[in-house]
């Protein structure tokens, strides 16, 4: 019997409503559009506003907000967010709260159990009081703006289908989504669970086979020279201006510690591992998972390397691609706040972008900030009672237990399964002031302001690149990163007190550089620091494979002066260095059939460009998928190895090539090629010449609730063929088993510090969440084609506009 989709219940309860709406397609579509479409022109009197604000939406639906005060500007941002993304905002906070079953039914119970056990909403509530007075005031203004838009009475289509009215927005709701982003981008919980399985089956030596360590000699974000000069970067910041009061750093006393790389032995019974993996499965259903090669890229080029003589900063964070898209482009200007870039609906800040003087971009550092503790018998535990309301069914009572380390996540429902395993994670601890950091960046005028804001950053740790109009460039990796002594955090450890965190790496000692001598900083989730760095950010299996970092550096380090157009070409590059590495062992394969010989001949002449019309790209990715499963018989699970681990096994005739203890890598290559060809023939028919990449490799921007509900998916989902593949710079890793692109460059920006209004940006789909709106998906074709929108605050660049004026209600 086929297992139902995680949101099948949502589909069943909605079918009656949907059928009625679709009886008259034309009339229903018009009614749906008019009844839920936000008002984008005219005048609207609203409560909670200090003065009139204009919200001018450009030709692509991007709001350009102009207000006399910052509070009114952020109010208008909240108003615009709710107008265009009401369902997304409500769904995101329901995820953080663990309240999905309340509107989606029993199918969402596993997700709610996971979310309530981890306590994302509780962590957000604990973080809110720690924020600065400035941040609280802006969050308060944003909240008022959201609720003012909600009071306008327009209702998102999803609310109509599911038959509920959203609750008013609360200040804590603007903090809660950041906790989910911290989960999506930080920690190594999943690696610890896999590591426990690997050690149990293969011993400690198996860790490096299944998850290859970062290669010696591969590029690091910072060089040893840059690290040695990092101490001067803060004193050198005086030349770039003193920090303002809003970002002035507190006094911090540094303490140096060099953790050992030893790995303590720890194993978990299979029942406990299964309980831990149930959380991973729940997270995957929500689109929150560690995806090999999901990646992000950013870099900053000093003026010494550019045609204009001023820096160019680029960023493309690679995240889950959804409908609506995660990001919301916006231009927000008050009296001091002058920021443009990518915001996230629900958050009162420009997360990635620029202001009048400073530009910044982010990628994931991915340090190890999570640890699993096996609590000894008799360890004191507390418990709390969670009531999960379920649509169409009785309430479910969940008892969540916690130790001094954190929530017990090995419980299955309210009962214990084997050893009690607790989670310790920086994002669940009190005093999280990350929102202060993001709001502070919006106001930064120089490097000192910028780093002063980052002192408040907690999680998820990000690689921030920096540039300013004065020509300075820099890099910082802020966040709370635990100091461990005598263990490396790669496996679950005893909770008996022998493996505890010894504080966090002091801010001054976190990786950073200012105006590096070579004028180039590149990050691609690769290893941040060389061996000379005196702290462990994580074990050597934490980092992304070095392919993207190497390719970006090669493309930029040409010796000629670079332009924005050059940087665009780098962001869109689809050459596979993975193929370049695997080419030799793959082409040495003994074919087992005529079609295998034909496939090998096609691959032999391939240049490695992963375009939608390429047949070899299809053959390569299908074959790689088969090879990535080579450890499944040894581990007894559905493990997918990364391409570097596959390469190491093939080059060294590794023991994982054996199937049930027999055979070698040569036999594996012959068998997996045949399996890949059979799979492709089942999907695309017998003619190999027709197996073009774009027929299988399509971007899947799917709706979180209705994306798998057949009666509704056609209305809410957006798909199209896309180029790129595993670890190309334009990351478009095919999903294992489906070939769809579910993750990628969710947003791209290129900031020209010589003329900021010549900067460009683009989202993966569109500004509006309503499926029939004009700006629902109008950016997608441009995004696929490698085109951009003007990232400009000048009305001359906005095209045809619509203006809404918000006025204070008398």
């Amino acid at each position: 019997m086929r297992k139902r989709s995680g949101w099948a219940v949502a589909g069943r309860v909605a079918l009656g409503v949907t059928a009625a709406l679709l009886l008259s397609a034309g009339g229903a579509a018009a009614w749906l559009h008019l009844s839920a479409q936000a008002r984008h022109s005219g005048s609207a009197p609203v409560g909670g506003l200090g003065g009139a604000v204009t919200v001018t939406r450009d030709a692509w639906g991007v709001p350009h907000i102009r207000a006399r005060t910052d509070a009114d500007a952020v109010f208008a941002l909240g108003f615009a967010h709710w107008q265009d993304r009401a369902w997304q905002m409500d769904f995101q906070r329901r995820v953080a709260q663990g309240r999905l079953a309340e509107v989606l039914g029993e199918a969402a119970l596993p997700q709610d159990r996971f979310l309530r056990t981890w306590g994302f909403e509780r962590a957000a509530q604990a973080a809110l009081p720690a924020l600065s007075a400035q941040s609280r005031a802006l969050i308060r203004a944003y909240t008022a703006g959201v609720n003012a838009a909600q009071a306008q009475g327009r209702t998102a289509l999803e609310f109509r289908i599911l038959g509920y009215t959203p609750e008013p927005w609360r200040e804590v709701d603007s903090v809660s989504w950041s906790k989910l982003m911290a989960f999506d981008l930080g920690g190594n919980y999943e690696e610890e669970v896999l590591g426990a399985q690997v050690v149990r089956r293969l011993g400690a030596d198996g860790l490096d086979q299944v998850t290859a360590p970062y290669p010696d000699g591969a590029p690091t974000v910072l060089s040893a020279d840059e690290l040695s000069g990092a101490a001067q970067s803060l004193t050198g910041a005086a030349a770039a201006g003193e920090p303002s009061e809003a970002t002035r750093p507190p006094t911090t006393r540094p303490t140096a510690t060099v953790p050992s790389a030893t790995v303590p032995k720890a194993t978990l019974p299979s029942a406990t591992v299964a309980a831990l993996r149930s959380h991973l499965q729940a997270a995957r259903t929500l689109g929150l998972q560690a995806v090999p090669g999901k990646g992000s890229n950013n870099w900053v080029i000093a003026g010494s390397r550019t045609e204009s003589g001023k820096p160019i900063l680029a960023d493309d964070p690679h995240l889950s691609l959804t409908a609506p898209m995660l990001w919301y482009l916006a231009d927000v200007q008050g009296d001091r706040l002058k920021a443009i870039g990518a915001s996230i609906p629900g958050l009162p800040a420009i997360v990635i972008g620029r202001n009048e003087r400073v530009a910044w971009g982010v990628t994931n550092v991915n340090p190890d900030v999570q640890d699993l503790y096996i609590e000894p018998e008799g360890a004191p535990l507390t418990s709390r009672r969670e009531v999960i309301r379920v649509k169409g069914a009785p309430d479910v009572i969940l008892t969540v237990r916690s130790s001094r380390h954190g929530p017990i996540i090995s419980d299955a429902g309210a009962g214990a399964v084997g050893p009690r395993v607790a989670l310790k994670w920086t994002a669940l601890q009190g005093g999280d002031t990350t929102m202060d950091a993001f709001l502070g960046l919006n106001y930064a005028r120089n490097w000192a302001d910028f780093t002063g804001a980052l002192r408040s950053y907690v999680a998820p740790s990000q690689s921030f690149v920096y540039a300013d109009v004065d020509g300075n460039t820099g890099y910082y990796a802020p966040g709370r990163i635990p100091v461990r002594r005598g263990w490396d955090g790669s496996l679950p450890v005893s909770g008996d007190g022998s493996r505890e965190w010894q504080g966090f790496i002091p801010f001054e000692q976190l990786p950073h550089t200012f105006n590096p001598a070579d004028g180039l900083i590149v990050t691609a989730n690769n290893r941040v620091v060389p061996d000379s760095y005196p702290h462990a950010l994580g074990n050597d299996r934490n980092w992304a494979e070095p392919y993207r970092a190497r390719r970006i550096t090669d493309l930029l380090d040409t010796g000629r002066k670079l332009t924005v157009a050059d940087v665009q070409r780098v962001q869109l590059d689809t050459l596979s260095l993975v193929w370049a590495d695997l080419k030799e062992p793959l082409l040495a394969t003994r074919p087992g059939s005529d079609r295998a010989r034909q496939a090998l001949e096609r691959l032999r002449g391939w240049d490695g460009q992963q375009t939608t019309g390429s047949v070899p790209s299809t053959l390569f990715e299908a074959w790689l998928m088969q090879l990535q499963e080579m450890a499944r018989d040894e581990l007894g699970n559905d493990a997918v190895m990364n391409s570097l681990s596959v390469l190491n096994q093939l080059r060294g005739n590794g023991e994982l090539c054996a199937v049930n203890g027999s055979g070698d890598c040569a036999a594996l290559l012959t068998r997996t090629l045949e399996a890949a060809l059979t799979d492709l023939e089942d999907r695309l028919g017998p003619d190999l010449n027709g197996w073009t990449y774009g027929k299988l490799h399509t971007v899947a921007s799917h709706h979180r609730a209705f994306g798998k509900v057949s009666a509704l998916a056609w209305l809410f989902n957006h798909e199209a063929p896309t180029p790129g593949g595993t670890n190309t710079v334009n990351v478009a890793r095919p999903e294992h088993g489906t070939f769809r692109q579910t993750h990628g460059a969710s947003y791209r920006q290129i900031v020209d510090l010589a003329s900021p209004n010549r900067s460009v940006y683009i989202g993966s789909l569109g500004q509006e969440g309503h499926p029939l709106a004009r700006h629902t998906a109008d950016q997608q074709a441009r995004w696929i084609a490698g085109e951009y929108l003007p990232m400009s605050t000048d009305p001359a660049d906005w095209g045809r506009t619509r203006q809404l004026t918000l006025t204070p209600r008398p």
Side-chain angles (χ1 to χ4, degrees), residues 332-607:
V332 187
Q333 298 197 20
D335 56 335
R336 292 191 304 125
L337 177 62
K338 313 282 184 183
I340 182 173
S343 68
I344 295 177
L347 303 184
I350 297 298
V351 177
I352 304 171
R354 68 172 179 88
N355 57 31
E356 292 177 312
R357 292 189 52 81
V358 165
W360 66 95
V362 300
T363 62
N364 199 18
V365 174
N366 200 36
D368 185 355
V369 296
Q370 294 176 343
D371 279 306
L372 297 181
Y373 284 90
I374 304 171
E375 300 293 2
E377 289 297 325
L381 301 177
T382 61
S383 64
R384 69 177 189 270
R385 184 174 179 267
E386 297 275 352
V387 180
I388 303 175
R389 293 183 173 87
V390 184
K391 185 171 186 174
D395 294 349
V396 171
I397 307 301
L398 177 68
T399 299
V400 178
R401 302 185 297 170
S402 297
S403 73
R404 65 192 179 95
H405 295 111
I408 303 297
I409 61 172
S410 57
D411 285 356
V417 176
R420 295 164 299 183
V421 180
L423 170 78
K424 187 172 185 178
W425 179 26
T426 55
L428 295 184
Q429 297 180 336
D432 186 345
T433 51
T434 302
M435 188 68 75
D436 284 342
F438 274 118
L439 286 167
L441 293 180
N442 284 228
Y443 287 95
R445 308 286 293 171
N446 49 52
W447 176 248
D449 277 354
F450 185 78
T451 56
L454 291 181
R455 283 181 174 273
S456 299
Y457 202 94
V458 174
S461 182
Q462 298 287 288
S463 283
F464 282 85
V465 290
Y466 166 94
D468 64 36
V469 294
D470 294 326
N472 299 299
T473 62
Y475 167 89
Y476 224 108
R480 289 184 189 167
I481 302 177
V483 173
R484 301 175 180 85
R485 290 194 179 101
W487 55 298
D488 71 355
S490 61
L491 291 171
V493 294
S494 173
D496 62 2
S498 63
R499 296 286 188 269
E500 300 297 332
W501 295 354
Q502 307 298 310
F504 304 104
I505 300 174
F507 181 79
E508 291 85 355
Q509 297 175 29
L510 291 167
H512 63 277
T513 189
F514 183 65
N515 285 333
D518 68 353
L520 181 63
I521 304 167
V522 173
T523 92
N525 312 121
N526 54 312
R527 186 177 178 183
V528 176
V529 291
D531 291 339
S532 58
Y533 183 65
H535 299 283
L537 302 180
N539 68 74
D540 239 10
R541 292 177 292 276
N542 276 71
W543 320 117
E545 299 151 279
Y547 295 109
R548 285 182 288 117
R550 196 168 79 212
R551 177 65 176 165
I552 294 167
T553 302
D554 288 346
L555 290 171
L556 295 175
D557 199 11
T558 61
R560 62 182 181 82
K561 301 293 185 179
L562 299 170
T563 66
V564 168
D566 293 323
V567 173
Q568 290 176 342
R569 285 189 286 272
V570 178
Q571 281 193 332
L572 304 169
D573 185 72
T574 59
L575 181 73
S576 174
L577 294 189
V578 179
W579 163 247
D581 267 2
L582 285 170
K583 181 177 180 178
E584 183 178 351
L586 294 189
L587 293 183
T589 299
R590 295 189 300 269
S593 65
D594 287 339
R595 67 176 184 177
R597 291 187 187 88
Q598 185 182 1
L600 287 169
E601 197 55 37
R602 292 298 294 266
L603 285 168
R604 203 175 307 280
W606 184 37
D607 62 2

Side-chain angles (χ1 to χ4, degrees), residues 181-206:
M181 291 299 293
F183 176 87
D184 195 31
L185 295 173
N188 77 327
Y189 159 62
E190 184 163 0
E191 286 82 358
E192 286 195 42
V193 175
L194 175 61
Q197 293 176 286
V198 171
V199 170
R200 189 166 181 267
R201 293 284 190 125
L202 302 176
D205 291 343

Side-chain angles (χ1 to χ4, degrees), residues 684-757:
L684 299 173
D687 182 9
L688 183 148
N689 294 317
W691 295 355
T692 53
Y693 193 46
K695 289 182 179 178
L696 288 179
H697 189 255
T698 59
V699 63
S701 292
H702 285 181
H703 194 271
R704 279 286 178 249
F706 302 145
K708 294 182 180 179
V709 179
S710 58
L712 297 169
W714 65 272
L715 182 62
F716 289 95
N717 291 349
H718 298 273
E719 299 191 8
T722 49
T726 300
N727 289 323
T728 55
V729 176
N730 184 4
V731 177
R733 172 187 173 271
E735 183 180 54
H736 203 86
T738 71
F739 290 87
R740 298 178 307 180
Q741 181 187 352
T742 59
H743 296 75
S746 55
Y747 166 76
R748 296 186 183 112
Q749 75 171 23
I750 303 171
V751 182
D752 182 356
L753 277 302
S755 180
N757 278 341

